[in-house]
Amino acid sequence: MTTLAILTAAGSGTRLGFDLPKALVPLRGLPLVLHAARRLTASGVVDALVVTAPNGLVSVMSDVLEHDPHVSVPVVVVAGGTTRQSSVAAGLTRARADIDTVVVHDAARPLAPAAMIRRVVETVKAGHQAVIPGLPVMDTVKILAPRGPVEDARGALPAGVERVASTPARTLLRAVQTPQAFDRALLVRAHSAGAARARTEATAATDDASLVEALGEDVFVVDGDELAMKVTTARDFYYIEKLLTEDGR
Ligand code: CTP
Ligand code: MG
């Protein structure tokens, strides 16, 4: 059994607001993408790596990854697409014929621990074809009534005011992370079916599991890890710097 990791690193990091694409921002001296690539390698369950780079930065990204002594698996860098979904699809086209399992991971989650990477990949290898890590949700979450003719018929709402439609049971909610692992054929099928719906950031899937769900196939959740939190804003970045120090790595 051979596993490919697609490491998404083609985003611009607009919400982080630094003057570099997010994946290249140094965390304790190492670019985020390199932290993530090292952990994928250290998991021992990843045989090859495809990294998506921002347009025009393929060779910069290659330089970062190819000369790192801790990234001991073959690395291919490809130009990403305009959405995360299309970046993953671009990465998938570079999977060698012998790959049967694909794990998709975000460079924006640089500290996802090796044990967690093993957990999702091994659960796929044990026969569950789509496996994602998730954490219990601490806040009560509300689902809003969609804006549209039905909502308007109830009376116009002022700007900044939304009506609540329902409250899902918190015990049934999970905040999901990456890495997400899949049987290769299933992930390819999910991306082919999802490609038509993904023209813009607003319509593209924000994770790969939702494309599998859209096929009507089962997706399974295993325990996530706080260390796998995503760096979106500057506050996340400073928090993760602190986590890294406490984690001793
Ligand atoms: N990503 C990608 N290709 C894109 C957009 C995003 O490979 N066209 C990757 C990012 O590099 C990141 C992951 O998908 O590792 C999650 O995306 P996000 O956190 O939204 O990162 P950015 O798109 O870089 O950030 P922002 O949305 O604030 O610009
Ligand atoms: Mg983004």
Side-chain angles (χ1 to χ4, degrees), residues 73-234:
V73 300
V75 180
V76 171
V77 179
V78 297
T82 53
T83 63
R84 181 189 183 279
Q85 182 180 330
S86 58
S87 289
V88 175
L92 261 180
T93 66
R94 302 297 294 265
R96 293 183 325 231
D98 62 328
I99 297 293
D100 52 38
T101 305
V102 177
V103 46
V104 184
H105 187 39
D106 292 335
R109 299 182 186 273
L111 304 187
M116 175 191 182
I117 298 164
R118 282 195 289 276
R119 188 152 64 237
V120 291
V121 172
E122 281 163 7
T123 308
V124 170
K125 303 235 185 224
H128 295 81
Q129 295 205 322
V131 177
I132 65 178
L135 290 173
V137 172
M138 303 301 169
D139 292 323
T140 297
V141 172
K142 303 288 181 187
I143 296 177
L144 301 181
R147 294 257 176 170
V150 175
E151 187 62 18
D152 291 345
R154 296 173 62 109
L157 287 170
V161 178
E162 305 284 350
R163 194 174 63 82
V164 170
S166 63
T167 307
R170 198 168 53 188
T171 50
L172 291 179
L173 295 176
R174 293 292 179 273
V176 309
Q177 304 176 310
T178 73
Q180 301 190 345
F182 304 91
D183 170 77
R184 183 230 184 119
L186 175 61
L187 187 63
V188 168
R189 196 153 63 84
H191 269 274
S192 314
R197 299 190 299 268
R199 299 275 174 250
T200 65
E201 195 74 50
T203 53
T206 51
D207 80 343
D208 297 279
S210 53
L211 298 175
V212 172
E213 293 157 36
L215 292 177
E217 301 288 348
D218 284 340
V219 171
F220 300 91
V221 179
V222 296
D223 284 346
D225 195 306
E226 194 206 351
L227 280 171
M229 69 168 278
K230 184 154 84 80
V231 175
T232 305
T233 63

Side-chain angles (χ1 to χ4, degrees), residues 11-18 20 22 108 201 206 230-237:
S12 56
T14 311
R15 288 167 293 176
L16 186 59
F18 292 2
L20 272 178
K22 184 158 67 183
E201 195 74 50
T206 51
K230 184 154 84 80
V231 175
T232 305
T233 63
R235 192 173 67 165
D236 300 332
F237 184 81

